[in-house]
Amino acid sequence: FLGDKGRGRIVVGRDTRQSGEMLEAAFVAGLTAGGGDALLCGIVPTPAVALIVRELGADGGVVISASHNPPEYNGIKLFNADGFKLPDDLEEEISAFVTGDAGFVRPTGAGVGRIKAVRDALARYVSHSIATIEGDLSGLTIAVDCGHGASGAVTPEALRRLGATVVPINAGSDGMDINVGCGSTDLTPLVDLVRSSAFDMGIAHDGDADRVLAVDETGAEVDGDAIMAICAAHLHSAEQLALDTVVSTVMCNLGFEIAMRDLGIHVIKANVGDRYVLEQMQASGATLGGEQSGHIIFLDHNTTGDGLVTALQLAAVIKATGKSLSELRQVMHRYPQVLVNVRVADKVGVLTNGTVSAAIVAAEAELGDAGRVLVRASGTEPVVRVMAEAASEEIAADVVERLVRVVSAELG
């Protein structure tokens, strides 16, 4: 991981989960016992760690977080010296080293690492995020659901400094309430707040704030596809969209593809997962990409999905155009989407089973240009995901129901 960098300096951040304290202590103990220095940021959003790694010239970064998952879960995200997430093969190499017996001789005395606090981590991140937009957000009233996560100390502050009137909810945490009935995993509290008064928009983060979803002034959801469509259209009209290209995933809504095509914007599709979106962005030269879940990368501003930066970009479009978010979201017509997860005995068989393939081809022919079908194996569960989009939910549901029967019969 550190290569030939010698001692190594690793930026460490975490979200608000109760187990984060324990895992941070364990990680830092292991790092320093191995001779590395830990640069502790405390509770910060994941994109803040990616930024701090670059600003401090550190050798890598670690975020202890399970992102949008419930509070009893936790995990580790790894970044290299350039602030990019590590590729799968390098993560597997690190895992093998940690769990194996490599004969590593631990240093002693002056050879062990040190622990240093990065006391201005949040201030650095807020200042960086504010600088990503031109002008200010004065005149806008914005509701923010922090999801009891890492965004509580940054998103309301950034919006206020830009002149917006901000009403935050779920900005604190007891360690066991992160993502529980709030934030981007449950928009109900945000929708209720926006509908209770006069807001220009509402935004909701997940636990580590690398994602954001929005609601318009009526309380209607604006997902990642719509946010990307709005921002892409605005950048395109200003001739600021690199290569007139955006990167999405195979799960993006058909309406997004059609909207981008009609505007003359090329769409590149990646596999589901932010790292795969980033890989396609780097390969193509695109600087805007993301997922329906609200994990959106503005590569000109950060190296990973950034919920705060995305929220600011969206708010800046509202301010610059003078249009409401409900007007802006009309840039794309969302096709009804039906998704069913089918538990199977052989998920790999979805790639090779002739009967399943024939059923998919028939469904695609039936829908034509008025819909699409996606059948794929889950990367983590014994599940095949069957999805269809069509002009109506009834049509999509009928197509999915027939495909589910075939998948269950052949692979179940």
Side-chain angles (χ1 to χ4, degrees):
F1 181 37
L2 295 175
D4 58 359
K5 295 182 181 295
R7 186 181 193 98
R9 299 162 67 240
I10 305 298
V11 176
V12 182
R14 61 182 174 88
D15 65 22
T16 57
R17 289 162 215 273
Q18 183 170 306
S19 60
E21 299 171 355
M22 170 191 69
L23 293 174
E24 178 189 68
F27 175 80
V28 170
L31 175 64
T32 52
D37 288 342
L39 308 179
L40 295 188
C41 295
I43 296 173
V44 294
T46 286
V49 169
L51 172 73
I52 300 300
V53 166
R54 301 195 308 277
E55 290 204 342
L56 297 184
D59 300 303
V62 166
V63 181
I64 298 165
S65 171
S67 192
H68 58 284
N69 289 291
E72 61 268 25
Y73 290 83
N74 218 328
I76 296 177
K77 299 182 179 183
L78 302 174
F79 293 90
N80 66 17
D82 295 319
F84 292 108
K85 287 183 179 178
L86 302 188
D88 292 341
D89 56 351
L90 184 51
E91 286 195 347
E92 290 170 4
E93 185 180 337
I94 294 171
S95 179
F97 175 83
V98 171
T99 58
D101 182 12
F104 178 73
V105 179
R106 293 183 178 84
T108 58
V112 301
R114 304 293 298 272
I115 302 173
K116 302 175 183 178
V118 184
R119 302 189 188 283
D120 63 347
L122 290 176
R124 283 175 178 265
Y125 176 59
V126 170
S127 295
H128 164 82
S129 301
I130 288 173
T132 65
I133 67 169
E134 297 181 2
D136 61 33
L137 300 177
S138 59
L140 296 184
T141 301
I142 302 174
V144 182
D145 188 341
C146 300
H148 295 301
S151 66
V154 293
T155 297
E157 172 68 12
L159 291 168
R160 289 191 184 107
R161 283 177 54 180
L162 284 165
T165 298
V166 185
V167 179
I169 56 174
N170 303 319
S173 179
D174 63 10
M176 290 303 296
D177 52 7
I178 185 172
N179 298 320
V180 177
C182 61
S184 63
T185 56
D186 187 346
L187 294 177
T188 303
L190 181 64
V191 170
D192 289 344
L193 174 60
V194 169
R195 288 176 175 169
S196 72
S197 188
F199 288 91
D200 293 289
M201 66 183 297
I203 57 175
H205 291 298
D206 65 336
D208 68 336
D210 63 351
R211 304 184 187 193
V212 69
L213 293 179
V215 298
D216 68 19
E217 73 280 5
T218 72
E221 180 180 350
V222 182
D223 67 8
D225 284 343
I227 292 172
M228 275 213 301
I230 292 166
C231 292
H234 185 70
L235 290 170
H236 177 69
S237 66
E239 299 183 347
Q240 295 177 352
L241 183 64
L243 304 176
D244 287 323
T245 297
V246 295
V247 177
S248 187
T249 74
V250 295
M251 290 298 290
C252 76
N253 192 270
L254 178 61
F256 174 80
E257 294 183 65
I258 293 173
M260 295 298 95
R261 182 192 64 200
D262 290 347
L263 289 170
I265 298 173
H266 178 53
V267 177
I268 297 175
K269 288 189 180 181
N271 290 329
V272 175
D274 59 284
R275 71 178 62 205
Y276 305 116
V277 170
L278 179 59
E279 285 176 2
Q280 290 290 345
M281 292 175 71
Q282 292 175 305
S284 66
T287 57
L288 174 60
E291 301 182 277
Q292 195 176 86
S293 63
H295 194 286
I296 299 173
I297 304 170
F298 286 85
L299 205 49
D300 286 337
H301 304 309
N302 209 342
T303 52
T304 189
D306 194 322
L308 173 54
V309 165
T310 300
L312 296 183
Q313 301 302 309
L314 181 61
V317 176
I318 296 174
K319 179 68 185 288
T321 62
K323 295 181 178 180
S324 67
L325 186 51
S326 62
E327 290 178 282
L328 290 169
R329 67 196 300 259
Q330 300 306 313
V331 69
M332 68 168 277
H333 165 70
R334 182 176 180 80
Y335 276 61
Q337 185 181 87
V338 175
L339 172 67
V340 173
N341 294 323
V342 187
R343 297 195 72 84
V344 295
D346 176 25
K347 68 178 181 180
V348 178
V350 74
L351 300 173
T352 58
N353 187 280
T355 302
V356 172
S357 297
I360 294 171
V361 169
E364 290 174 335
E366 177 184 334
L367 292 172
D369 293 334
R372 72 180 181 114
V373 169
L374 179 66
V375 180
R376 68 181 186 91
S378 166
T380 57
E381 303 173 85
V383 161
V384 169
R385 307 194 194 284
V386 180
M387 186 273 287
E389 291 170 340
S392 72
E393 188 166 350
E394 291 75 18
I395 295 173
D398 180 63
V399 170
V400 167
E401 182 181 355
R402 283 181 276 143
L403 286 173
V404 165
R405 285 201 297 266
V406 175
V407 170
S408 296
E410 294 294 316
L411 306 178

